[in-house]
Amino acid sequence: MEQITALDFKIKEMAGRIRELREIMGLSVAEMARRTGVSEEEYILCESGKKDLNIAFLYRCALSFGVD
């Protein structure tokens, strides 16, 4: 059984919040991928918490959502 670290938990938590904000704002995966400068496949991995969220990705998400 794979052990989840505190960092993995935080990444999944942030990824879930990004998904929630995208859905609230009515943005598609394709639109967010374009806004964050990644492919749709990479965006899906980030939003599902299966890929580390780099600072540039997080910053572009924040800009898209109008949050700090």
Side-chain angles (χ1 to χ4, degrees):
M1 185 173 180
E2 186 178 329
Q3 185 176 0
I4 297 178
T5 66
L7 179 58
D8 292 333
F9 179 78
K10 281 297 186 188
I11 289 171
K12 288 195 180 292
E13 190 175 58
M14 287 187 294
R17 185 67 178 139
I18 289 168
R19 185 188 69 251
E20 289 172 6
L21 287 169
R22 178 182 61 77
E23 290 172 351
I24 288 168
M25 296 190 68
L27 298 169
S28 68
V29 167
E31 177 61 18
M32 281 304 295
R34 186 189 67 73
R35 289 180 180 206
T36 56
V38 299
S39 68
E40 286 184 48
E41 294 79 18
E42 187 174 355
Y43 182 84
I44 290 167
L45 289 173
C46 290
E47 191 180 85
S48 66
K50 295 179 180 173
K51 182 174 178 11
D52 278 344
L53 307 176
N54 68 47
I55 296 297
F57 176 82
L58 292 172
Y59 180 73
R60 291 177 184 134
C61 285
L63 287 177
S64 294
F65 301 140
V67 299
D68 293 333

